[in-house]
Amino acid sequence: MNFTAIDFETATSKYTSICSMGICVVENNVITERKEIFIRPEPLEFHEYNIKIHGITPNAVKDKPQFNEYWEQIRPYLENRLVVAHNTSFDITALCATLDFYNIPYPKFQYMCTVKLSQKAYPELKSHKLNNLCDALGITFSHHHAYDDAYACAMVLLRILYDYSLLNANELAECFDVKIGKLYPGCKVSTHQREPKQKKNAQPRRFHNSNTHGSL
């Protein structure tokens, strides 16, 4: 089975504040590529809550390109492929909100959520959060690092395929009675903003730097 697993980390509660993207490519059930892209969000604001989760600071990305500058590198990993994420309601929404922010047309791909799949595949588990799920399945990774989260997501799907002797997305959908999502140019995606998790009086950490074009 061929697919791309993705994961986003954000600088604030805003979907458009992507500061890191993890990509894990699987071809014929073998991981062939893993990478992480550090991204300068616009505006360059970080909340302490998010920094505590993923450890990425404004200084780490202040000289990196913005998402739109990376897009031509990212798009081939998604276009006409099956894309999987552990909680697509976040990752696909973040992707679409960011594409909308930069007025970039959506790519065309199908997508599936490993949260929903793992809930159906392993209903005996008390938690299907990525770290707890991977502990139960014996998958080692560093949580809340996009590079490793994408890898863990890919490994979860490969484990489900193996445990249930499934070959493709259609068999996954049929076995677990889940839908295969579809994204394409011009489709309607709800990108309503999440409620901030930080305290109401908390102020974002702002970093002002006129140099917005750094090395890749």
Side-chain angles (χ1 to χ4, degrees):
M1 183 172 169
N2 304 329
F3 61 91
T4 299
I6 64 171
D7 180 77
F8 292 116
E9 299 295 335
T10 57
T12 70
S13 61
K14 294 181 179 179
Y15 286 121
T16 56
S17 68
I18 292 171
C19 59
S20 176
M21 178 180 185
I23 298 172
C24 185
V25 179
V26 175
E27 303 287 348
N28 296 318
N29 288 358
V30 176
I31 293 174
T32 59
E33 184 176 359
R34 295 171 62 187
K35 68 187 303 179
E36 183 168 22
I37 301 171
F38 290 99
I39 300 165
R40 183 190 192 279
E42 177 58 38
L44 186 56
E45 297 179 354
F46 278 69
H47 284 140
E48 295 295 338
Y49 177 88
N50 296 69
I51 294 173
K52 288 179 180 179
I53 290 175
H54 51 57
I56 301 171
T57 65
N59 277 323
V61 298
K62 64 183 178 64
D63 294 322
K64 298 299 183 182
Q66 295 182 27
F67 189 90
N68 60 322
E69 299 173 82
Y70 277 122
W71 179 240
E72 288 307 311
Q73 297 180 41
I74 295 171
R75 184 172 56 82
Y77 290 103
L78 310 177
E79 192 80 51
N80 296 316
R81 289 183 62 83
L82 175 68
V83 176
V84 299
H86 201 73
N87 188 12
T88 54
S89 65
F90 169 74
D91 292 285
I92 298 300
T93 304
L95 173 64
C96 291
T98 304
L99 291 173
D100 289 344
F101 180 80
Y102 288 107
N103 294 312
I104 300 173
Y106 296 163
K108 179 182 178 182
F109 63 76
Q110 295 182 320
Y111 61 89
M112 300 188 81
C113 178
T114 50
V115 172
K116 293 180 179 179
L117 289 170
S118 64
Q119 288 171 340
K120 296 289 186 72
Y122 309 111
E124 71 280 4
L125 297 181
K126 294 182 179 180
S127 171
H128 295 85
K129 292 183 178 180
L130 190 58
N131 57 331
N132 296 328
L133 176 62
C134 286
D135 283 346
L137 298 180
I139 299 168
T140 302
F141 77 115
S142 181
H143 197 24
H144 290 306
H145 292 81
Y147 174 84
D148 260 19
D149 283 2
Y151 162 78
C153 175
M155 289 296 293
V156 166
L157 185 56
L158 289 171
R159 177 64 178 271
I160 293 172
L161 290 169
Y162 176 82
D163 285 348
Y164 284 83
S165 300
L166 303 174
L167 299 177
N168 53 51
N170 289 331
E171 290 189 4
L172 280 166
E174 182 177 357
C175 179
F176 300 115
D177 190 27
V178 297
K179 292 183 179 180
I180 302 174
K182 294 181 180 180
L183 192 70
Y184 51 88
C187 73
K188 302 297 183 181
V189 177
S190 176
T191 56
H192 292 302
Q193 189 55 52
R194 295 172 292 161
E195 290 296 323
K197 292 183 179 181
Q198 68 280 352
K199 295 180 180 179
K200 290 183 179 180
N201 294 328
Q203 295 297 316
R205 180 189 297 182
R206 295 178 173 85
F207 191 99
H208 298 288
N209 181 14
S210 59
N211 178 17
T212 60
H213 300 278
S215 59
L216 299 180

